[in-house]
Amino acid sequence: MTTRIVLLHATPVAMEPIHTAFKEEWPEAELINLLDDGLSLDRSRASDLSESMIERFVRLGQYGYDMQADGILITCSAFGPAIDRLADSVPIPVLKPNEAMFHEAVAQGKKIGMLATFGPSVETMTEEFNDYVAEHGSSATLTTLLVADAIDLMKKGDAEGHNRLVAARANELAHCDVIMLAHFSTSRAAADVRAQVTVPVLTAPHAAVKRMKASVLAQHNR
């Protein structure tokens, strides 16, 4: 039986990294892409995640469920409350983009660093991280650096420039036990970042695919 996973994207720059991760971790999964790149544009202009934007996000996710999805994986990290509401509205696994990476990071140390490129996501990701450590009784702390110009280079097709800017900030987190690359798009800089530091560097896509696979298989085996 084919397992269908809907990938919900708010920016096209997240698409290639998650497809690569699925090819390497779960090639049998059937992938369906839902893209509303207006979500990231509107989110970048808003100080808060509005109720209307949450409702719009949830409608998109419910459309994915209507496509007979076995699971929905969100690839943008700026919509935490909307993802929670979507998860409550459908009876299949709905996975936040960074949940699995948080799990891996906290398992490796207490001082967690994160390199981010999309400013509006930092607050929601910090809240999600703090909720995660509280739920699991951890004392881990998070230090985040925002590389503000990198994502603009990525959107213009300059992946090398993006990677260079992200890697240039890595040493500022060298004191941490582990460094997370905040977004699916940021995972492209993994090799460059690892060349700058000796601590482990984690990316979200591979961790998310492994977590989604385990969640879907567990539900099928119930």
Side-chain angles (χ1 to χ4, degrees):
M1 183 178 67
T2 300
T3 300
R4 171 173 286 188
I5 304 299
V6 167
L7 304 175
L8 200 162
H9 310 286
T11 174
V13 298
M15 298 175 74
E16 183 180 337
I18 191 59
H19 277 264
T20 298
F22 265 98
K23 286 177 184 176
E24 295 175 358
E25 301 289 346
W26 195 9
E28 303 84 8
E30 180 180 70
L31 305 181
I32 303 294
N33 295 286
L34 286 183
L35 169 66
D36 177 359
D37 52 358
L39 280 168
S40 62
L41 289 174
D42 295 342
R43 183 68 183 92
S44 68
R45 296 166 182 158
S47 57
D48 297 303
L49 188 61
S50 67
E51 180 64 23
S52 63
M53 198 177 299
I54 291 174
E55 291 176 354
R56 175 175 149 201
F57 185 99
V58 171
R59 286 197 302 272
L60 185 62
Q62 289 174 336
Y63 177 69
Y65 172 67
D66 290 342
M67 298 167 69
Q68 299 182 316
D70 294 288
I72 299 174
L73 176 56
I74 316 302
T75 66
C76 184
S77 49
F79 297 91
I83 300 172
D84 289 335
R85 191 176 303 180
L86 172 61
D88 289 339
S89 74
V90 295
I92 58 173
V94 175
L95 188 62
K96 292 179 179 179
N98 302 292
E99 185 178 342
M101 182 172 64
F102 290 165
H103 177 78
E104 291 189 8
V106 170
Q108 296 190 50
K110 303 283 183 160
K111 293 185 294 183
I112 314 299
M114 183 166 71
L115 288 165
T117 60
F118 187 54
S121 72
V122 172
E123 182 178 353
T124 57
M125 288 186 67
T126 301
E127 291 174 356
E128 290 169 14
F129 180 86
N130 291 336
D131 289 345
Y132 180 89
V133 298
E135 181 181 346
H136 291 82
S138 170
S139 59
T141 59
L142 179 66
T143 301
T144 300
L145 293 179
L146 177 63
V147 190
D149 297 331
I151 197 167
D152 291 331
L153 293 179
M154 179 65 72
K155 289 178 178 178
K156 293 174 183 175
D158 185 4
E160 290 186 6
H162 164 274
N163 298 348
R164 185 171 58 253
L165 286 183
V166 174
R169 301 293 301 278
N171 274 319
E172 296 176 53
L173 296 174
H175 65 283
C176 295
D177 298 316
V178 60
I179 296 173
M180 302 186 298
L181 301 184
H183 323 295
F184 281 32
S185 60
T186 326
S187 66
R188 302 165 189 258
D192 296 86
V193 173
R194 288 176 180 135
Q196 299 298 318
V197 295
T198 58
V199 300
V201 176
L202 303 181
T203 63
H206 288 77
V209 173
K210 288 184 282 188
R211 183 71 169 268
M212 176 58 78
K213 182 178 183 180
S215 298
V216 170
L217 294 180
Q219 187 168 68
H220 285 175
N221 291 331
R222 286 177 186 170

